[in-house]
Amino acid sequence: MPKITAALILCLLLALSAGGAGAVDDGGSLVMGTIGDATSMIPMITSDSASHEMSGLVYNGLLKYDKDLNLIGDLARSWTVSPDGLTITFKIREGVTWQDGKPYTAKDALFNWRFMVDPKTPTAYSGDYMKVTKAEAPDEHTFVVHYDEPFAPGLASWTLTQMPRHLLEGQDVRASELNRHPVGTGPYEFVRWDPGARVVLRYYPDYFEGRAHISQVTYRVIPDMATMFLELKSGGLDWMGLTALQYRRQTETPFFKKNFVKYRYLSSGYTYLGYNLKDPRFADKRVRQALSYAIDKEELIKGVLLGLGRVCTGPIKPGTYWYNPQVKRYPHDPAKAKELLAAAGWRDTDGDGLLDKDGRPFEFTILTNQGNSYRANTGVIIQQRLSQIGVRVKLRTVEWAAFIKEFINKGRFEAVLLGWTITPDPDQFDIWHSSKAQPGQLNFTYYKNPEVDRILTEQRRTFDREKRRALIFKLQEILAEDQPYTFLYVANALPVLAARIKGIAPAPAGISYNFTEWWVPKALQHPAMKR
Amino acid sequence: MLTYLAKRLAMMVPLLIGITFISFLIMHLAPGSPTDLATDLNPKMSEIAKERLTKLYGLDKPLPVQYWTWLKRLAVLDFGRSFAPDGQPVLNKIADRLPITVTINLLSLLLVLVIAVPIGVYSATHRGSLFDQATTVFVFLGFATPTFWLALLCMILFGVVLGWLPISGIKSLNHDQLSCAGQLLDYARHLALPVLLSAFTSLAGMSRYMRGNMLEVIRQDYVTTARAKGLPERLVIYSHALRNAMMPVITILGLSVPALIGGSVIFESIFAIPGMGKLFYDAVMARDYPVVMGGLVIGAVLTLVGNLLADLGYALVDPRVRSK
């Protein structure tokens, strides 16, 4: 008898604790600040991050990334790649409905592929989908795509947002109502959009993964970072991305510690100094390595990012599956830099403090885009460091559109200070393959290496993750040795959120991957707006 | 007067076409195109996609053809669709944004007039007085203070510390649930800081200008005559002198109409106001030609109308202009 009682008590305790831990409250609202307004709610025809972020809560893809940046099913329950790598078959989740009540089927997936390759669709992202030779929907819950040759990055392309066929088919997409009023399958439904001011979303009760806990999400457009920060302080915002300065200097107050929680993780992007390899001075590997030794990356992180970042060693995000931590590094070593430059024929023969070769002093211009203070400051620090080894650097900033059109696309630069986004898929073909070293293409530094070409082609054909990883590791080793860029730093993303929001669990993917699981205790909820 | 008006209106048409032609040319001569911004430095962008975009926007046609197409559409007041992904008609976009910009600017203009004219007149008639000296100091402060800095200070004081006024935007999140009076009050609270600050920047100049004009006018013979006739000083100043002193101010007001749009960018960015200035600025940066051209046409029309109104105002206060 005592045994039974003890067991009962234990059960009761377990049940209570389970209930306590699992109890989350539904309801409440959350307001986020964004620098730019969305341009359209059809993400495949936009290229700005605001549009993608806002419509991201309304739509789903066939696949998505989990917290560790692995591909998992979203609207597709599962997928299989044929042994020859030429066919991908998606099994579509059953019972999913669009927010207007219509069922989501494989026909929608097929329509979305057709939409992407349609010449009338003004999208910048058609490339990956045009590699599909044939797509079909043999039944309601199966979607099959065929390729001519294995294309491993293609898998990631099926994170493609799924748009409702019944609302978009046969329409001029630019005149479509969905531009302003999205209808998706996602956790949030669209409520309203005041252009230039705000976008309001509300939870979709029939979401296939269960309702999102927070009832209403509002994005407020505030184009000025200082204003946004004041709004945060006055309670007008619950969430914004901080600048390094705000993170370090303006939020270390008791008020902030009480009302907000700051997060810090590596962003998906890196900053680099790229050399024009058609320029004879930079064609010599030793010169590029020397410049990499001469630039103090730690100093850049300390000075520009106030310590909120990490040294970058190559084009893959540190800490992820594809990142090779064992590549050649270039710690700050001016003596070594001078030695390498001397070996390449650069010496100060006339005693003016500048290195020279064949009577020409070593001086070049670093070009960067206007409006990015991090890059401008980085340039100044690099300029200072290089002057110490006898290299004179000039800095020039140009407005973005002109920068691209007149300088990058035409290869009219000596060195550029820029950044790349790091995608979860490690395909680097467009940036490093020699076939892309053409005017207007992305290999604008004209880097050519037959071994790299081979690896880039091979990894695209390799679905086996382990094998592909080995190739990507090798790629990083070669790039680290060749230094076509001096890889500088990966900055931290610095979001700050109101302390009342619970359920946030930072991971390699950032914080918003589990947004639907966030919640606010009943007592702290701000009321959601009536419809 | 009517012939004068008709003549002025007829002259506006070729002028407007000339302005649009030059604007169109300059806009297209600027490096970078709308497709670049969507596609450049985007690894997922294929060459074919880029060509398709160029074709969709009609940018593959020669410039004169593009201009002619645009002009023909303008004749029926069709400004075309924005190159931004949402493809909204330009007119809708402008109609969304113009009212708030015009409201803020008219309110601040009104405020400037109401405050600057009396200050100017009083300073002129009490030249060298304490008030005159104090306003001189105030005016120099006004000239020297960077607006954005002052705006931030006011936002911190009234928004964060005192919590009296909202910091940004033009309405609260719960605006729609408010009563009609509540909504009006909500707008007023949101507009208070932007209007006051934008008035502050013009106040300095305008009051100084008014003072100068007034000083000049009260030295004129007819004012002396009026005083000699024994008219009360109030009548001399406010009826005889003020009217003439106002004339240059009217011109300035007319000329400041087009600056409404251009000058709004900073305010609209700081106060997160979805107005015309921000729309126009973003369109230029994105090389969204239809919106830029739409904005320019509106700006040109405003300029011409502003000038017309100034001239009409002139004609009203000075009969000699009419008779010419």
Side-chain angles (χ1 to χ4, degrees):
Chain A
M1 189 65 182
K3 258 187 186 171
I4 295 173
T5 320
L8 272 176
I9 291 172
L10 191 68
C11 279
L12 196 67
L13 279 177
L14 275 175
L16 276 177
S17 66
V24 297
D25 294 330
D26 286 342
S29 76
L30 186 150
V31 186
M32 292 185 226
T34 159
I35 283 271
D37 194 12
T39 52
S40 162
M41 290 287 160
I42 301 182
M44 47 262 263
I45 62 171
T46 66
S47 52
D48 60 297
S49 57
S51 301
H52 283 256
E53 196 186 324
M54 296 179 200
S55 55
L57 289 177
V58 178
Y59 291 108
N60 292 96
L62 282 176
L63 306 178
K64 66 176 176 185
Y65 288 100
D66 69 1
K67 65 186 175 71
D68 297 314
L69 296 172
N70 297 312
L71 273 178
I72 57 169
D74 194 5
L75 283 171
R77 199 164 18 90
S78 63
W79 72 94
T80 46
V81 181
S82 66
D84 60 4
L86 296 180
T87 305
I88 308 176
T89 307
F90 298 95
K91 281 288 168 201
I92 306 289
R93 224 181 247 268
E94 290 172 28
V96 176
T97 53
W98 292 101
Q99 286 156 0
D100 62 1
K102 297 265 188 326
Y104 171 81
T105 70
K107 285 211 180 83
D108 286 293
L110 182 62
F111 163 76
N112 276 284
W113 171 72
R114 287 204 181 119
F115 176 78
M116 289 309 281
V117 295
D118 184 343
K120 289 205 278 298
T121 304
T123 178
Y125 307 105
S126 59
D128 283 354
Y129 307 99
M130 293 199 322
K131 291 205 162 65
V132 173
T133 48
K134 196 175 130 195
E136 53 195 335
D139 62 61
E140 297 276 278
H141 300 291
T142 313
F143 174 58
V144 189
V145 285
H146 303 275
Y147 293 84
D148 260 354
E149 49 182 47
F151 183 54
L155 199 55
S157 74
W158 295 106
T159 52
L160 169 71
T161 302
Q162 295 289 297
M163 306 290 300
R165 180 175 72 114
H166 62 285
L167 297 177
L168 198 55
E169 195 166 38
Q171 286 211 15
D172 171 10
V173 59
R174 298 203 335 124
S176 165
E177 182 60 17
L178 291 172
N179 270 308
R180 294 259 136 200
H181 192 134
V183 176
T185 52
Y188 283 88
E189 279 183 280
F190 174 83
V191 177
R192 65 182 293 167
W193 179 1
D194 300 335
R198 86 194 64 174
V199 170
V200 183
L201 307 174
R202 197 180 174 84
Y203 78 99
Y204 173 44
D206 299 328
Y207 183 51
F208 60 83
E209 286 193 326
R211 74 157 279 186
H213 297 310
I214 294 176
S215 290
Q216 182 177 294
V217 179
T218 303
Y219 291 90
R220 278 192 65 190
V221 183
I222 302 175
D224 186 88
M225 279 303 276
T227 308
M228 205 190 280
F229 188 65
L230 292 180
E231 277 287 3
L232 185 83
K233 274 177 93 168
S234 72
L237 288 180
D238 299 315
W239 180 1
M240 73 176 275
L242 293 175
T243 62
L245 196 71
Q246 287 167 341
Y247 187 95
R248 279 274 189 248
R249 307 267 160 81
Q250 295 170 328
T251 48
E252 289 296 317
T253 58
F255 167 79
F256 252 91
K257 285 180 181 152
K258 183 170 164 246
N259 295 296
F260 293 96
V261 182
K262 293 192 283 184
Y263 295 91
R264 176 184 165 184
Y265 52 84
L266 279 189
S267 66
S268 296
Y270 67 92
T271 300
Y272 62 88
L273 180 66
Y275 306 104
N276 188 338
L277 305 184
K278 285 215 286 197
D279 188 314
R281 288 170 299 179
F282 298 123
D284 189 331
K285 182 168 87 179
R286 289 169 299 184
V287 171
R288 304 193 301 264
Q289 288 178 335
L291 296 179
S292 294
Y293 276 121
I295 297 169
D296 187 349
K297 271 87 75 187
E298 296 287 357
E299 173 189 51
L300 289 176
I301 292 168
K302 232 165 118 186
V304 178
L305 304 176
L306 305 179
L308 301 166
R310 188 172 157 171
V311 171
C312 173
T313 53
I316 303 290
K317 183 168 166 174
T320 58
Y321 179 77
W322 308 102
Y323 176 70
N324 181 352
Q326 304 296 336
V327 300
K328 183 169 176 184
R329 284 167 184 263
Y330 295 84
H332 182 224
D333 190 345
K336 184 129 188 179
K338 278 189 174 165
E339 198 181 295
L340 279 163
L341 283 170
W346 291 97
R347 289 186 179 83
D348 183 10
T349 53
D350 51 9
D352 66 347
L354 275 186
L355 299 179
D356 53 81
K357 186 178 170 183
D358 306 329
R360 277 188 62 197
F362 200 156
E363 54 185 356
F364 66 95
T365 302
I366 295 179
L367 203 63
T368 191
N369 63 300
Q370 173 234 326
N372 186 322
S373 60
Y374 290 118
R375 282 181 201 159
N377 293 340
T378 302
V380 173
I381 296 175
I382 290 177
Q383 184 180 41
Q384 165 69 13
R385 278 295 171 199
L386 294 189
S387 78
Q388 288 172 355
I389 58 159
V391 176
R392 184 190 289 154
V393 170
K394 285 184 205 140
L395 295 170
R396 188 171 170 199
T397 51
V398 183
E399 187 261 346
W400 183 251
F403 175 74
I404 299 296
K405 181 98 172 175
E406 293 303 311
F407 298 97
I408 298 296
N409 283 354
K410 293 181 179 162
R412 280 173 44 197
F413 63 89
E414 293 171 313
V416 285
L417 196 55
L418 265 181
W420 282 120
T421 301
I422 308 172
T423 53
D425 186 84
D427 183 32
Q428 294 277 324
F429 189 91
D430 293 290
I431 297 167
W432 304 109
H433 197 274
S434 57
S435 68
K436 298 289 175 178
Q438 307 280 342
Q441 302 272 9
L442 297 184
N443 185 352
F444 49 74
T445 56
Y446 292 86
Y447 175 65
K448 290 178 181 173
N449 182 328
E451 175 67 1
V452 165
D453 283 358
R454 191 192 63 74
I455 292 174
L456 287 169
T457 315
E458 188 61 28
Q459 60 85 27
R460 281 193 149 188
R461 304 174 56 87
T462 313
F463 276 95
D464 185 309
R465 260 164 75 93
E466 276 301 316
K467 283 186 191 150
R468 195 170 177 212
R469 188 191 200 192
L471 290 165
I472 299 293
F473 268 37
K474 182 76 189 151
L475 172 74
Q476 291 171 73
E477 279 162 28
I478 300 173
L479 289 178
E481 170 64 28
D482 278 357
Q483 291 290 296
Y485 297 169
T486 292
F487 296 95
L488 299 173
Y489 53 76
V490 182
N492 280 133
L494 306 166
V496 59
L497 279 103
R500 63 194 172 89
I501 301 158
K502 314 290 178 198
I504 303 166
I511 55 168
S512 37
Y513 68 92
N514 73 336
F515 183 73
T516 53
E517 291 161 31
W518 294 9
W519 60 284
V520 182
K522 266 266 172 324
L524 302 174
Q525 285 178 5
H526 291 180
M529 193 166 93
K530 284 190 207 103
R531 244 184 254 203
Chain B
M1 184 73 182
L2 272 181
T3 12
Y4 174 73
L5 185 65
K7 251 202 309 205
R8 286 296 314 264
L9 281 175
M11 263 173 60
M12 277 166 66
V13 177
L15 208 55
L16 194 61
I17 293 178
I19 293 172
T20 62
F21 177 73
I22 294 170
S23 317
F24 193 87
L25 204 67
I26 292 175
M27 192 63 218
H28 282 78
L29 283 179
S33 81
T35 54
D36 291 343
L37 288 158
T39 62
D40 274 316
L41 300 191
N42 171 0
K44 295 290 165 204
M45 179 69 197
S46 66
E47 268 307 289
I48 302 168
K50 198 166 178 171
E51 275 166 34
R52 282 179 179 176
L53 281 179
T54 309
K55 210 167 160 170
L56 273 171
Y57 292 152
L59 296 171
D60 52 339
K61 300 194 185 89
L63 264 194
V65 178
Q66 286 184 44
Y67 178 66
W68 182 237
T69 323
W70 179 83
L71 204 60
K72 271 198 300 196
R73 277 206 316 254
L74 185 70
V76 289
L77 278 185
D78 175 6
F79 285 70
R81 280 180 182 276
S82 160
F83 284 170
D86 64 353
Q88 287 284 298
V90 173
L91 221 48
N92 288 8
K93 282 201 163 184
I94 292 176
D96 269 353
R97 308 289 192 101
L98 196 61
I100 184 67
T101 303
V102 171
T103 308
I104 291 180
N105 283 292
L106 284 185
L107 282 176
S108 85
L109 219 57
L110 204 69
L111 203 63
V112 169
L113 270 186
V114 169
I115 301 175
V117 171
I119 290 182
V121 172
Y122 193 85
S123 301
T125 51
H126 299 76
R127 201 176 165 196
S129 68
L130 187 66
F131 178 84
D132 187 29
Q133 285 168 358
T135 46
T136 307
V137 172
F138 174 74
V139 159
F140 279 109
L141 276 179
F143 271 132
T145 315
T147 333
F148 69 91
W149 177 77
L150 193 64
L152 284 175
L153 284 191
C154 288
M155 283 154 93
I156 292 175
L157 178 65
F158 296 109
V160 181
V161 180
L162 299 172
W164 291 349
L165 292 171
I167 291 168
S168 66
I170 49 163
K171 51 185 184 181
S172 305
L173 291 178
N174 64 346
H175 181 85
D176 295 343
Q177 277 114 281
L178 299 173
S179 65
C180 199
Q183 290 191 348
L184 266 179
L185 185 69
D186 188 44
Y187 275 129
R189 279 163 45 82
H190 278 87
L191 290 182
L193 278 183
V195 168
L196 279 176
L197 281 162
S198 95
F200 181 75
T201 48
S202 333
L203 196 60
M206 200 59 100
S207 61
R208 207 79 306 228
Y209 200 70
M210 193 63 220
R211 180 181 179 269
N213 286 335
M214 201 65 194
L215 278 178
E216 201 168 303
V217 169
I218 52 179
R219 275 193 226 109
Q220 302 277 329
D221 291 345
Y222 67 86
V223 175
T224 317
T225 314
R227 280 198 182 120
K229 277 199 305 186
L231 281 178
E233 184 66 12
R234 287 181 70 87
L235 210 60
V236 173
I237 298 295
Y238 293 107
S239 174
H240 288 66
L242 183 60
R243 200 163 162 173
N244 285 303
M246 282 293 285
M247 277 171 55
V249 174
I250 291 172
T251 317
I252 296 261
L253 281 184
L255 289 177
S256 64
V257 172
L260 295 185
I261 292 182
S264 302
V265 181
I266 297 175
F267 267 94
E268 289 175 6
S269 296
I270 296 178
F271 287 105
I273 295 167
M276 197 56 202
K278 190 78 179 62
L279 175 76
F280 189 65
Y281 177 80
D282 290 343
V284 171
M285 285 303 164
R287 306 290 191 269
D288 187 347
Y289 298 146
V291 174
V292 174
M293 289 305 292
L296 282 170
V297 169
I298 301 275
V301 169
L302 283 181
T303 313
L304 295 175
V305 170
N307 281 344
L308 182 70
L309 286 179
D311 287 353
L312 286 181
Y314 241 87
L316 278 180
V317 287
D318 188 350
R320 286 170 303 175
V321 178
R322 268 174 287 179
S323 57
K324 257 184 229 166

